[in-house]
């Protein structure tokens, strides 16, 4: 992890009052036994979450995923016609990402 002071002349801060989150849950498809593990596919279920904060979204996503891989993203504020999903948590098994991110909640 690298940590830097925020800001700078080109820094833009966006603070939407009601961010929109997206949760993608990946379910392994049933494939014939002769299909190699690395070539098996996934079905992706997507949900948009509104009126929630990050801990609520992460808890909902973990419960919904029930052990399956998942990604939690937040929609960026629209700039012109462009909007982006920014990943907050998780890994995409369809991209060959080997790293599973684990959530530790500190109280």
């Amino acid at each position: 992890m690298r940590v830097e002071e925020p800001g700078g002349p080109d820094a833009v801060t966006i603070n939407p009052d009601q961010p929109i989150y997206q949760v993608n849950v990946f379910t392994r498809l049933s494939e014939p036994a002769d299909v190699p593990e690395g070539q098996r596919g996934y079905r992706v279920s997507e949900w948009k979450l509104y009126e929630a904060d990050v801990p609520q979204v992460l808890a909902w996503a973990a419960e919904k995923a029930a052990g399956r891989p998942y990604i939690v993203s937040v929609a960026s504020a629209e700039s012109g016609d462009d909007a982006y999903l920014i990943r907050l948590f998780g890994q995409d098994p369809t991209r060959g990402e080997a790293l599973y991110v684990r959530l530790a909640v500190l109280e």
Side-chain angles (χ1 to χ4, degrees), residues 4 10 16 28 31 34 36 46 67 69 79-80 82-84 95 103:
E4 294 181 359
D10 59 345
R28 183 65 97 170
E31 302 274 1
D34 62 341
E46 298 178 353
S79 173
D82 297 331
Y84 302 92
R95 292 189 177 188
L103 174 63

Side-chain angles (χ1 to χ4, degrees), residues 85-96:
L85 287 175
I86 301 165
R87 181 168 32 177
L88 298 177
F89 179 85
Q91 61 91 27
D92 183 343
T94 67
R95 292 189 177 188

Side-chain angles (χ1 to χ4, degrees), residues 22-25 44-49 60 85:
Q22 181 168 314
V23 174
N24 294 1
V25 176
V44 180
S45 300
E46 298 178 353
W47 292 272
K48 298 246 188 260
L49 285 76
W60 184 90
L85 287 175

Side-chain angles (χ1 to χ4, degrees), residues 13-86:
T13 301
I14 300 170
N15 292 310
D17 291 330
Q18 295 294 323
I20 300 169
Y21 299 93
Q22 181 168 314
V23 174
N24 294 1
V25 176
F26 299 86
T27 303
R28 183 65 97 170
L29 296 174
S30 297
E31 302 274 1
D34 62 341
V35 175
E37 180 69 21
Q39 295 179 8
R40 294 181 182 198
Y42 288 86
R43 177 176 46 85
V44 180
S45 300
E46 298 178 353
W47 292 272
K48 298 246 188 260
L49 285 76
Y50 303 87
E51 300 174 8
D53 60 19
V54 173
Q56 289 174 310
V57 172
L58 292 173
W60 184 90
E63 183 177 330
K64 191 69 168 176
R68 295 171 290 173
Y70 65 98
I71 292 175
V72 176
S73 303
V74 63
S76 68
E78 292 188 19
S79 173
D81 292 333
D82 297 331
Y84 302 92
L85 287 175
I86 301 165

